[in-house]
C-alpha cells in the first residue's frame, strides 16, 4: 500500500514536477507552478488527466474555455484535449494530478519548467512501458 498526505506533500515540494507513484495504469504527480508561471499548452493524446488544486490561484485553459481555479478545485482533462494551467496569483499554484496511463518517467523530479521541458525534448521523461 502507498499512502500520501497529499496536500501536505504537495505544499512542501518546491519542484515544478515530482512523480510520487507510478502504477500499471496510472501515475500520481505533484506540481508547483511559480508566480507568473504555467504548465505550458499541451495535449496528451492517449492520457486522461485529473488535477486537484491544493493552494494558490490560477486559470484553467481547457479546450478553448477558461476558468479560475483555487484550492479544492478539480479539473478533468480527457485524452486528446488541448490544455494549460497558469498561475495568476502572487503565490505558487500547487496541485496534484493523476495521469491514466502514466505520462512521465517513474520517480522523475524536475525542479523547474525549463528542466522538465529539456528532459522531455531529450527523451529522458518517457513513461515506463509494460
Amino acid at each position: 500500500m502507498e499512502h500520501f498526505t497529499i496536500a501536505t506533500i504537495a505544499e512542501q515540494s518546491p519542484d515544478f514536477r515530482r512523480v510520487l507513484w507510478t502504477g500499471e495504469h496510472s501515475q500520481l504527480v505533484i506540481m508547483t507552478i511559480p508566480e507568473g508561471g504555467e504548465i505550458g499548452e499541451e495535449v496528451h493524446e492517449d492520457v486522461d488527466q485529473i488535477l486537484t488544486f491544493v493552494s494558490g490561484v490560477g486559470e484553467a485553459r481547457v479546450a478553448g474555455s477558461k476558468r479560475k481555479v483555487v484550492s479544492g478545485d478539480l479539473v478533468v482533462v480527457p485524452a486528446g484535449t488541448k490544455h494549460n494551467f497558469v498561475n495568476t496569483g502572487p503565490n505558487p499554484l500547487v496541485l496534484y494530478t493523476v495521469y491514466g496511463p502514466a505520462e512521465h518517467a517513474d520517480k522523475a523530479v524536475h525542479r523547474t519548467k525549463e528542466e522538465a521541458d529539456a528532459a522531455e525534448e531529450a527523451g529522458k521523461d518517457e513513461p515506463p512501458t509494460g
Side-chain angles (χ1 to χ4, degrees):
M1 173 191 343
E2 294 285 338
H3 176 270
F4 300 97
T5 308
I6 194 67
T8 302
I9 292 170
E11 279 282 339
Q12 293 174 347
S13 175
D15 300 316
F16 175 74
R17 180 169 53 224
R18 176 180 292 268
V19 175
L20 292 182
W21 178 83
T22 302
E24 189 176 341
H25 304 287
S26 61
Q27 183 173 63
L28 176 63
V29 176
I30 54 177
M31 297 187 74
T32 299
I33 304 169
E35 179 183 351
E38 63 183 80
I39 290 176
E41 189 172 83
E42 60 186 359
V43 175
H44 306 299
E45 291 298 337
D46 299 313
V47 177
D48 292 324
Q49 186 174 9
I50 300 168
L51 304 95
T52 302
F53 296 85
V54 174
S55 65
V57 178
E59 184 176 78
R61 301 175 182 174
V62 180
S65 295
K66 295 181 183 180
R67 185 163 187 161
K68 180 179 178 179
V69 290
V70 298
S71 177
D73 286 352
L74 183 145
V75 177
V76 175
V77 180
T81 304
K82 187 183 295 184
H83 62 280
N84 190 9
F85 295 88
V86 180
N87 183 343
T88 59
N91 299 308
L93 180 61
V94 179
L95 64 101
Y96 61 92
T97 184
V98 176
Y99 294 97
E103 175 67 13
H104 299 287
D106 189 30
K107 307 291 185 210
V109 176
H110 302 118
R111 305 213 184 286
T112 64
K113 179 174 180 354
E114 293 76 21
E115 188 177 303
D117 290 345
E120 287 179 19
E121 289 174 20
K124 295 180 180 176
D125 188 33
E126 297 299 317
T129 56

